[in-house]
Structure formats: C-alpha cells, structure tokens
Amino acid sequence: MAPSRPGYLGTPLSTGQTFTQQGDAMAALLDALGIDRIIVLAVSGGGPAGYELAARHADRVSRLVQVDGVCIPGPIPGAAAHRFIA
C-alpha cells in the first residue's frame, strides 16, 4: 500500500498537521485494514511521518527504510524520541 501524505492525492490536510499526527494516522490506517505489522518505506517528505510511526508504534513496524527522507536536525516540538535498532 502507498498512502499519500496529508494534502496530496486526495488525503485531507486534517488527517495530520504534525509529523506525530501523521505517524498516528498511519497506525490508524493499519488498524482499519487489519494489518498488525509492516515494513515501512518512507521517501522524501514522508520521512518524518515514517520516523514517527516507527518511534510511536514500534510494535507495528518490523523495519524502517528511509530513501532521501527529510530529516530535521535537533529536537522537534511534539515529536517522539526516536529509537533506532540496527
């Protein structure tokens, strides 16, 4: 599946105005589809939402792959602390 970020391809902006909300919206989509665990491929501007999904819902994400993912240095207000596993 390839969900679109809020504001793109018909996904309303109200789906998630912060990266944290976007990660939670992805988890809610998994719930709605009955999917327990996934591998996440986050590309470009989808990077922050991918990080949030993996950090806030680690039990749902078996792997996180970032391709040219946007990364904002320093703490992000409202963002979860990230935990990386090699």
Side-chain angles (χ1 to χ4, degrees), residues 2-17:
S4 297
R5 289 181 12 214
Y8 292 86
L9 298 175
T11 302
L13 284 172
S14 61
T15 300
Q17 295 183 8

